[in-house]
Amino acid sequence: MVTSGYPLVRQAREMIAAGELGQVHAVRVAYIQGGLWGLQPGQLPARAAWKADPAKAGPSGAMADIGTHAFHLLRFTTA
């Protein structure tokens, strides 16, 4: 399921749109990848190892893969 499908995310969007939380000045978004949690330097994850390999992930790391989801969540709730 896309994060915008969760009822809590939809409620946050409605609350922001209705002004219930006041004016939003800044937003911090996190999109946690369980497979990358707790990795030590030099350790590769069991799956999606390319995300931890700069030679394969490129200059942005996994930003182009994971970051798009975080950006979508931010825009969905605040736009």
Side-chain angles (χ1 to χ4, degrees), residues 14-42:
E14 292 168 8
M15 292 174 73
I16 291 168
E20 293 179 39
L21 303 178
Q23 187 176 3
V24 177
H25 295 280
V27 178
R28 180 179 295 176
V29 178
Y31 190 85
I32 307 300
Q33 292 284 287
L36 300 178
W37 177 256
L39 285 181
Q40 299 301 314

Side-chain angles (χ1 to χ4, degrees), residues 8-73:
L8 186 62
V9 172
R10 291 185 174 273
Q11 179 183 358
R13 178 185 188 184
E14 292 168 8
M15 292 174 73
I16 291 168
E20 293 179 39
L21 303 178
Q23 187 176 3
V24 177
H25 295 280
V27 178
R28 180 179 295 176
V29 178
Y31 190 85
I32 307 300
Q33 292 284 287
L36 300 178
W37 177 256
L39 285 181
Q40 299 301 314
Q43 182 182 6
L44 293 177
R47 60 185 274 247
W50 69 268
K51 293 179 184 179
D53 183 348
K56 293 179 181 172
S60 73
M63 183 64 173
D65 177 56
I66 301 167
T68 57
H69 300 289
F71 179 76
H72 172 257
L73 179 60

